[in-house]
Amino acid sequence: MYCPNCGNQIPDGAKFCPGCGASTDGRYGYNTPSYGEDSGSIGWAFLGFFFPIVGLILYLVWRNEKPRSAKRAGTGALVAVILYVVLFVLYIVIFVVALSSLTTSLNELARTASLL
């Protein structure tokens, strides 16, 4: 078993890491990767941003095994979804304003044509 904080090997059944004092919480078992394998690379955030469904899946799969990488992938996916919603609302507002302006212009053109 390895410490989720510092990566040192922990004796079986230990509640705290002898190296750094972090709690093991009983969440980490024999298959827990060492510290070096869960680097939490920014690449996972970019992957989650450009492919939000992949970021969500990686978050759900890795949240206990690779918490740093899972957090990066999930954060990237969350930022992407929020950005997509904001852009969608902005596009709707622009569309409504443009449609209103077009309707006003067509009404003025129809009035002008009827006066001639």
Side-chain angles (χ1 to χ4, degrees), residues 2-87:
Y2 295 93
C3 174
N5 187 42
C6 69
N8 289 331
Q9 191 166 5
I10 302 172
D12 293 339
K15 296 188 186 230
F16 297 96
C17 172
C20 69
S23 173
T24 60
D25 290 331
R27 296 181 295 172
Y28 302 94
Y30 291 103
N31 294 327
T32 302
S34 67
Y35 179 79
E37 293 176 22
D38 184 22
S39 63
S41 170
I42 191 75
W44 296 119
F46 283 117
L47 180 72
F49 180 80
F50 290 110
F51 303 101
I53 191 72
V54 173
L56 175 63
I57 290 170
L58 288 177
Y59 173 76
L60 293 173
V61 171
W62 284 347
R63 66 182 172 197
N64 291 331
E65 297 169 8
K66 295 182 177 184
R68 290 181 179 168
S69 296
K71 183 177 179 181
R72 290 285 181 134
T75 302
L78 182 63
V79 168
V81 168
I82 290 170
L83 181 66
Y84 295 157
V85 168
V86 168
L87 287 176

Side-chain angles (χ1 to χ4, degrees), residues 88-99:
F88 180 75
V89 169
L90 185 64
Y91 290 146
I92 295 296
V93 168
I94 290 172
F95 178 75
V96 167
V97 168
L99 188 61

